[in-house]
Amino acid sequence: MTISDGPLVFVDDLDRPVLSDEDHHHLARVRRIRDGQPLVLGDGRGRWRPARMAGSSPEPTADSSAVERPTPELTVAFALVKGHKPELVVQKLTELGMDRIVAFEAARSVVRWSADKATTNRDRWQRVAREAAMQSRRLWVPTVEPISSFVEVASRPGACRAQVGGGRLELGQLVMVGPEGGWDSAELDVDIPDVSLGDGVLRAETAAIAVGTLLSALRFGLIEAGSG
Amino acid sequence: MTISDGPLVFVDDLDRPVLSDEDHHHLARVRRIRDGQPLVLGDGRGRWRPARMAGSSPEPTADSSAVERPTPELTVAFALVKGHKPELVVQKLTELGMDRIVAFEAARSVVRWSADKATTNRDRWQRVAREAAMQSRRLWVPTVEPISSFVEVASRPGACRAQVGGGRLELGQLVMVGPEGGWDSAELDVDIPDVSLGDGVLRAETAAIAVGTLLSALRFGLIEAGSG
């Protein structure tokens, strides 16, 4: 993916682009982009278009192009944890190029949310993903799925548990990262593979970021699954 | 490394162990460890000893053992960045098993510290590393080095720059992660290899964590450097 110069900003319509108030503020005030300077407009689904800054209505300077979604699709699922860590996880997984991010309730998840709260949080994480994609110049914004259950995620193709002593991570796996307190016995009884993240005990958010790093590096060809 | 059950806590003397006030508070109040329950005492340099909780003076229950430092030694160097991100980086790199952590001033580093401030921060990061090692049950606390310069780090054996379009990361490399604004031209002119972290633009702290993840997985044999 080689896109033209200038900050990437997502808009609803590449033909009649309008910046959101927040994006305009960020570009004009924080990054100090002046009218006339280059921007890259994106739709968050692979399509982009060169433009120049012009108040909150950027002017396109060339036709739009499209970039295919990278394959295979990369998904990370993480058990809900307390505090602001889900935002950190969503931000980092987006930077690392995940296509799909799933939060699920594990037996030892610290939080239990009402349907309203779950929807509010998911919407906020989707905004975090959108901002992180702009920051990391990714033309595809990952999908943050509705909050799910252990059983539902474990039943998907390729599902496996991150667990000390497990096997090697491979492309095509949907790795589930457990909560701080680990999996409970019912979760360990579910017949899906375990994959290892190494010799240490990682915090939940670190484990999720590590999975994203390894999947991204495998897909990019930087590394290969170990054979030893 | 298989150590006995119970939380790991570092003490100065494994023969006459005394918990710091902070560690005692954490174990007794936060983790609710009662007198008589198992602990693992460590010296932070590979030596450990089973014990049981007894107020702030744990009672050893067996002789001490030692675990060799893993090889090869893993080092990550990161450019100083503003805010609380250095703490996050040091915490995550410790969880991931780095042996040595180096912060350095790059041309575009946001911060310039006095000698006093630099020493204070380094001391704080060393405490962050100690706590993260206990949390992740690592018997070796990484060394947080005094704050250094780009030129000094770049002159060490194995030094390389994290940079889009670079080559593959390998064990034995000392990867330098640049600041948010990237390397300046003088830094890019220094004749050391570039290594790639993938196709995205990562925030500085994400890049440092990604390097730690990949080095740790290479050393553990989970992955191999790509050959394609």
Side-chain angles (χ1 to χ4, degrees):
Chain A
M1 162 180 83
T2 305
I3 60 177
S4 54
D5 285 342
L8 172 65
V9 60
F10 294 133
V11 292
D12 289 337
D13 185 341
L14 290 178
D15 295 324
R16 285 176 214 79
V18 177
L19 301 181
S20 72
D21 289 348
E22 196 178 343
D23 291 335
H24 181 253
H25 174 85
H26 177 75
L27 290 170
R29 303 289 168 188
V30 181
R31 302 191 61 172
R32 296 170 188 255
I33 308 294
R34 307 274 172 236
D35 281 356
Q37 289 189 302
L39 292 180
V40 179
L41 308 175
D43 69 357
R45 295 182 303 282
R47 190 159 278 280
W48 64 279
R49 187 167 191 183
R52 60 179 157 242
M53 187 80 168
S56 59
S57 304
E59 294 166 355
T61 52
D63 287 343
S64 65
S65 312
V67 167
E68 294 282 310
R69 192 155 202 158
T71 55
E73 186 177 274
L74 304 180
T75 305
V76 174
F78 67 94
L80 282 171
V81 286
K82 64 184 169 185
H84 288 293
K85 288 172 182 175
E87 279 82 352
L88 179 76
V89 170
V90 169
Q91 181 191 67
K92 297 314 175 206
L93 291 179
T94 301
E95 289 178 53
L96 291 163
M98 299 303 102
D99 301 293
R100 199 169 281 279
I101 299 170
V102 189
F104 64 91
E105 289 189 353
R108 294 187 184 147
S109 279
V110 179
V111 291
R112 293 280 181 276
W113 288 330
S114 67
D116 275 1
K117 181 86 187 274
T119 302
T120 304
N121 281 322
R122 184 257 192 129
D123 291 348
R124 191 172 65 248
W125 301 340
Q126 188 68 65
R127 288 196 299 275
V128 168
R130 177 182 178 278
E131 282 159 31
M134 291 195 289
Q135 166 93 17
S136 54
R137 302 178 75 72
R138 293 200 176 272
L139 294 172
W140 285 88
V141 177
T143 301
V144 179
E145 295 194 5
I147 290 166
S148 191
S149 68
F150 176 90
V151 168
E152 193 281 317
V153 182
S155 67
R156 297 194 196 179
C160 53
R161 269 179 306 255
Q163 177 75 339
V164 172
R168 292 196 176 78
L169 187 65
E170 289 170 21
L171 284 177
Q173 287 175 327
L174 191 178
V175 182
M176 303 178 68
V177 175
E180 216 67 51
W183 303 110
D184 88 340
S185 59
E187 289 164 345
L188 287 170
D189 281 347
V190 173
D191 186 26
I192 56 174
D194 288 332
V195 297
S196 169
L197 302 179
D199 60 344
V201 178
L202 301 178
R203 283 173 197 247
E205 77 274 12
T206 315
I209 297 167
V211 169
T213 301
L214 295 171
L215 289 174
S216 174
L218 284 168
R219 182 169 72 181
F220 194 66
L222 282 183
I223 58 170
E224 293 173 2
S227 60
Chain B
M1 160 180 84
T2 305
I3 60 178
S4 54
D5 284 343
L8 172 65
V9 60
F10 294 132
V11 294
D12 290 336
D13 185 341
L14 291 177
D15 295 325
R16 286 176 212 78
V18 178
L19 302 180
S20 72
D21 290 347
E22 195 178 343
D23 292 334
H24 180 254
H25 174 85
H26 177 75
L27 290 170
R29 302 290 166 187
V30 182
R31 303 193 57 173
R32 297 171 188 254
I33 308 295
R34 308 273 172 236
D35 281 358
Q37 289 188 302
L39 292 180
V40 179
L41 307 176
D43 69 357
R45 295 182 304 279
R47 190 159 277 282
W48 65 278
R49 190 169 190 182
R52 61 179 156 241
M53 188 78 169
S56 59
S57 304
E59 294 166 354
T61 51
D63 287 343
S64 65
S65 312
V67 167
E68 295 282 312
R69 192 155 203 159
T71 56
E73 186 177 275
L74 303 181
T75 306
V76 174
F78 66 95
L80 282 171
V81 285
K82 65 186 168 183
H84 287 294
K85 289 173 181 175
E87 279 82 352
L88 179 77
V89 170
V90 169
Q91 183 191 65
K92 298 314 176 206
L93 291 179
T94 301
E95 288 177 55
L96 290 163
M98 299 305 102
D99 300 295
R100 199 169 282 278
I101 299 170
V102 188
F104 64 91
E105 289 188 354
R108 294 187 186 149
S109 279
V110 180
V111 291
R112 294 280 182 278
W113 288 332
S114 66
D116 275 2
K117 182 86 187 278
T119 302
T120 304
N121 281 322
R122 184 258 192 127
D123 290 349
R124 191 173 66 247
W125 300 341
Q126 188 67 67
R127 288 196 299 277
V128 168
R130 177 184 178 275
E131 281 159 31
M134 291 195 290
Q135 166 94 16
S136 55
R137 303 179 75 71
R138 294 202 175 269
L139 295 171
W140 285 89
V141 177
T143 300
V144 179
E145 295 195 4
I147 290 166
S148 191
S149 68
F150 176 89
V151 169
E152 192 282 318
V153 182
S155 68
R156 297 193 195 181
C160 53
R161 271 178 306 254
Q163 177 76 339
V164 172
R168 290 196 177 78
L169 188 65
E170 289 171 20
L171 284 177
Q173 286 175 328
L174 190 177
V175 181
M176 303 177 69
V177 175
E180 217 66 52
W183 303 110
D184 87 342
S185 60
E187 288 164 345
L188 286 170
D189 281 345
V190 173
D191 185 27
I192 56 174
D194 288 332
V195 297
S196 169
L197 301 179
D199 60 344
V201 178
L202 302 177
R203 282 171 198 249
E205 77 274 12
T206 315
I209 297 168
V211 169
T213 300
L214 295 170
L215 289 174
S216 174
L218 284 169
R219 182 169 73 182
F220 193 66
L222 282 183
I223 57 171
E224 294 173 1
S227 60

